Amino acid sequence: MRLIALPLLAAALAAAPAFATDDCPGKLYGKGKRAICLPLGAASFADAVVSSAPGERPSSGVFAEPGYTLGEPDYVATSKPGFLSLGCDGEVVLRFDDNVLVDVDGPDLYVFEVGPMVETTRLSISRDGREWLDVGQIEGARSDVDIAGVAEPGDSFAFVRLANASKQCGGRHSGADIDAVAAVGAAMRLSLDSAVLFDVGRATLRPEAAAALDELAAKVKALGPARLAIEGHTDATGGDGDNQALSEARAAAVWEALRARLALPANAATVVGHGERKPMATNDTEEGRALNRRVDILARPGAR
């Protein structure tokens, strides 16, 4: 079983203002005008590097490792050196695994950049890592972006791309210097491996799935009031129509099992199938296809 669970949150988190410094219901990062409250705390940050392409005048050593963009911001010049310098025209693509980026009131995406000024960086987001939506740029003293202009109702995004866009590119570390990337607008993701739940090509829950569903129900119950979305996904084998129908049927089966365990009303969740359209990994390997065959439960604590 592959079950990813985020820290449990109070109901007020979903409505928390992004830049509140008093009574932050999550965790406060940064200081002064660049302080930001992240409702999901440490679970807000990017989890994996998908790709990295350094531009001209790249840095080296601990200033050229894409992995330094993951997790909480931790750069300290004297004790924890290390960040990703994009270089001139360089870019990096990151993925959120245990949460997804969603549109909320105010800023939705926040970039922690090293130094007193934010170098011009172009941001794009993607549902599947293939088709990208441009959401604007950060520069000067601004480190946040609102995705309201491109996100549709119910949208969630697992990928973010940062590309250096500064017209001036020089110095020891050329381009934007990225320490961390956080989803301010975020929903928690609980992911169930379809191999645990279903036989190949079927949408009837296996008896062996009961333990995984019991564990899932306990985690959802512990969240308190939350708006749920049940999303079915497949790999890219088989026809598009068959995959779409299978993902819808599997999402519906998981929702019926979950609401029976929690005595939830039918309208407590939206249930959708995405077929093969939102992969988490490549479909060119068996390992990647296994990751793509899943049912995701997205939870917005505090929302109904």
Side-chain angles (χ1 to χ4, degrees), residues 29-230:
Y29 292 86
K31 298 179 180 179
K33 293 182 179 180
R34 293 176 70 174
I36 184 168
C37 177
L38 298 180
L40 297 191
S44 305
F45 294 91
D47 301 290
V49 176
V50 177
S51 64
S52 178
E56 297 180 10
R57 298 176 57 88
S59 294
S60 60
V62 295
F63 306 110
E65 292 293 333
Y68 279 114
T69 62
L70 304 179
E72 296 178 285
D74 58 1
Y75 174 74
V76 180
T78 56
S79 59
K80 287 188 176 181
F83 53 80
L84 176 63
S85 180
L86 291 180
C88 306
D89 299 321
E91 69 174 42
V92 63
V93 176
L94 306 176
R95 189 181 71 224
F96 297 104
D97 287 340
D98 52 9
N99 66 320
V100 289
L101 173 67
V102 298
D103 181 33
V104 297
D105 292 338
D108 302 304
L109 191 62
Y110 193 91
V111 179
F112 292 81
E113 190 170 344
V114 174
M117 296 297 289
V118 178
E119 297 183 67
T120 307
T121 307
R122 200 78 190 170
L123 274 67
S124 305
I125 57 177
S126 175
R127 304 174 184 89
D128 58 11
R130 295 176 294 185
E131 296 183 4
W132 292 91
L133 300 173
D134 183 12
V135 294
Q137 64 185 31
I138 56 173
E139 60 185 325
R142 180 169 171 262
S143 298
D144 60 277
V145 168
D146 188 345
I147 68 171
V150 300
E152 299 177 359
D155 258 347
S156 62
F157 302 89
F159 299 87
V160 59
R161 181 174 64 197
L162 295 86
N164 184 68
S166 177
K167 294 181 179 179
Q168 297 180 345
C169 196
R172 180 184 177 191
H173 301 299
S174 301
D177 303 321
I178 310 300
D179 189 20
V181 179
V184 184
M188 302 186 303
R189 172 161 52 195
L190 302 164
S191 188
L192 292 169
D193 188 339
S194 287
V196 174
L197 304 177
F198 308 101
D199 291 326
V200 176
R202 305 297 296 273
T204 301
L205 288 165
R206 304 170 61 203
E208 295 85 351
L213 291 166
D214 289 343
E215 184 178 353
L216 172 66
K219 293 180 181 298
V220 172
K221 183 177 181 179
L223 293 175
R227 179 63 185 174
L228 304 175
I230 317 299

Side-chain angles (χ1 to χ4, degrees), residues 130 235-237 279 281-290 292-293:
R130 295 176 294 185
D235 61 23
T237 59
T282 178
N283 276 299
D284 295 332
T285 66
E286 179 51 42
E287 180 182 15
R289 290 190 292 272
N292 293 333
R293 298 188 295 266

